[in-house]
Amino acid sequence: MKKFLLGTNWKMNKTLAEGLAYSAALMTIIGKYPQFEFFIIPPYTHLWKIKEALAAQKSPLKLGAQNMHEQDSGQFTGEISPLMLAEIGVDIIELGHSERRQYFNESDEAVNRKARAALKHGFTPLICIGEQQADKDYGVSKEMLAKQLKIALTDVPAAAIGQFWIAYEPVWAIGVAGTPAAAAYVEEIHDFLRRVLIDRYGPSGAAVPLLFGGSVNIDNARDYARLANVDGLFIGRSAWEPELFEAIMVALGTITK
Ligand code: PEP
């Protein structure tokens, strides 16, 4: 049985000292919840030190980066390459988060190039997709999501199934200004994404892990997690304190899929 995925992106939060304290606390906590596979996605500057701490404890906690350039090296000031992240021993590369798309003009095509580069270097790309409020209002959410998903996975072969994850994060549900999505809506969209993946890859497409994120909290986490097509939760604010994250683990209990 596949473990339910549970992870958090810290965005541009936490000093290194805070990040190390968080990681130490989380490493202890997760031992009590073997039903989940955990990951954290800190800022780049924290990755080396946190990786050392994880390795020292032989922790199963997976480590991710919030972005990555697709080239191995070059004239790209301010960017971080796959080789640099591979040296650290990062497991996951988050790609296409709505904040990257909104504030850094990251396109579907760029997400695709990065996803292919991440796979080539043996990482797990965690590809984020999500529709805007206006898309939802115009009734074109599924079209927008299918476009994002299909472009992100262009030239990603079926052989890569199992090596990449998809996070559905409706933009209108993310962050302090977000409105939590209704569980029924999340299931409708995840079922749709599953079918897009099956159309694209055949039956093996059903094995692509689909995570949900956007204002997940202690009150709604279980409602989302029990949905048939939700394979994991990707959490922001509500997982930024180890105790609050643990409260969500307790609320989730046992998730069998
Ligand atoms: C996010 O930004 O990806 C996210 C899920 O944030 P939050 O849980 O804080 O809405």
Side-chain angles (χ1 to χ4, degrees):
M1 200 173 58
K2 273 189 310 177
K3 288 191 179 191
F4 192 80
L5 301 166
L6 220 44
T8 180
N9 160 23
W10 298 355
K11 308 190 181 185
M12 196 176 71
N13 291 295
K14 298 192 187 300
T15 62
L16 175 59
E18 290 166 347
L20 284 167
Y22 178 104
S23 307
L26 193 63
M27 279 192 275
T28 304
I29 289 170
I30 65 174
K32 293 186 261 173
Y33 305 93
Q35 68 270 40
F36 303 119
E37 181 172 337
F38 292 97
F39 61 95
I40 53 171
I41 310 192
Y44 286 132
T45 50
H46 303 13
L47 293 174
W48 263 114
K49 285 281 182 195
I50 293 178
K51 182 66 192 184
E52 281 173 4
L54 298 179
Q57 301 285 322
K58 296 192 169 45
S59 175
L61 179 56
K62 291 214 158 87
L63 187 63
Q66 295 179 16
N67 184 27
M68 184 192 80
H69 197 276
E70 73 259 26
Q71 300 286 329
D72 288 355
S73 62
Q75 302 177 102
F76 303 106
T77 301
E79 291 291 314
I80 301 289
S81 90
L83 293 180
M84 298 166 188
L85 295 170
E87 249 182 331
I88 298 173
V90 162
D91 306 292
I92 296 162
I93 311 291
E94 180 179 2
L95 295 172
H97 186 277
S98 68
E99 289 153 14
R100 299 281 331 155
R101 293 175 188 262
Q102 181 179 352
Y103 302 122
F104 304 97
N105 300 321
E106 201 152 282
S107 65
D108 292 327
E109 292 77 7
V111 171
N112 173 247
R113 289 193 299 273
K114 292 176 181 203
R116 286 185 285 125
L119 286 165
K120 190 177 106 189
H121 287 273
F123 301 115
T124 297
L126 169 50
I127 300 168
C128 303
I129 59 171
E131 85 279 25
Q132 306 277 343
Q133 180 68 54
D135 301 323
K136 187 163 182 277
D137 295 344
Y138 282 116
V140 295
S141 299
K142 289 178 182 165
E143 286 89 335
M144 295 307 294
L145 292 164
K147 175 174 176 273
Q148 290 179 13
L149 189 55
K150 286 179 183 175
I151 295 177
L153 295 176
T154 298
D155 294 330
V156 171
I161 287 174
Q163 290 169 48
F164 63 89
W165 303 345
I166 304 296
Y168 168 54
E169 300 203 301
V171 179
W172 45 269
I174 287 178
V176 278
T179 310
Y185 182 79
V186 173
E187 179 54 16
E188 180 186 335
I189 298 292
H190 275 234
D191 173 67
F192 171 74
L193 297 174
R194 190 80 80 202
R195 285 185 283 111
V196 172
L197 289 163
I198 292 169
D199 277 354
R200 166 81 174 77
Y201 289 112
S204 63
V208 174
L210 290 176
L211 294 83
F212 174 72
S215 292
V216 173
N217 60 42
I218 187 168
D219 297 320
N220 59 24
R222 188 160 169 79
D223 292 339
Y224 295 136
R226 61 204 304 180
L227 298 171
N229 285 297
V230 171
D231 304 308
L233 294 176
F234 193 21
I235 310 172
R237 292 156 293 151
S238 298
W240 289 346
E241 298 302 331
E243 319 76 63
L244 297 182
F245 196 5
E246 183 171 18
I248 292 178
M249 297 168 206
V250 172
L252 289 176
T254 307
I255 301 292
T256 40
K257 295 277 169 175

